[in-house]
Amino acid sequence: MIEPLYRADDSRYDNGMKYTRAGRSGILLPRVSLGMWHNFGEVDPLQRSKEIIHYAFDHGVTSFDLANNYGPGYGLSLIHISEP
């Protein structure tokens, strides 16, 4: 079965997330970042990981820590959410 494509919530930047400018670059970063270590990889099913990521993005989170050197084993925190 092919999953329907994810469509971001149109009001994702109006959900109350606060953004702060980073240094002199002027880039706006959310005050919350989603770190993907113990809740991703082998711990939860892929579908649950997708739900968490989509929820975060729909609520204004635009910073995702994808480092693959955390957690119980090397590389277990990095997930691939797009289907071939």
Side-chain angles (χ1 to χ4, degrees):
M1 182 174 118
I2 298 175
E3 290 183 39
L5 291 176
Y6 163 71
R7 178 163 163 59
D9 188 326
D10 290 333
S11 64
R12 65 188 170 274
Y13 302 117
D14 301 324
N15 285 322
M17 176 60 69
K18 304 285 186 207
Y19 297 89
T20 303
R21 296 205 179 274
R24 291 189 230 178
S25 71
I27 189 171
L28 286 173
L29 294 174
R31 295 199 179 167
V32 174
S33 177
L34 179 61
M36 300 180 181
W37 60 308
H38 279 293
N39 294 324
F40 297 86
E42 290 182 339
V43 179
D44 287 329
L46 178 60
Q47 185 57 41
R48 180 66 180 139
S49 298
K50 288 180 181 182
E51 291 168 2
I52 293 168
I53 293 166
H54 293 163
Y55 181 89
F57 190 70
D58 284 343
H59 288 83
V61 175
T62 57
S63 175
F64 297 88
D65 182 353
L66 302 176
N68 68 349
N69 58 349
Y70 300 134
Y74 178 78
L76 294 180
S77 62
L78 183 62
I79 63 167
H80 183 71
I81 61 171
S82 62
E83 305 294 328

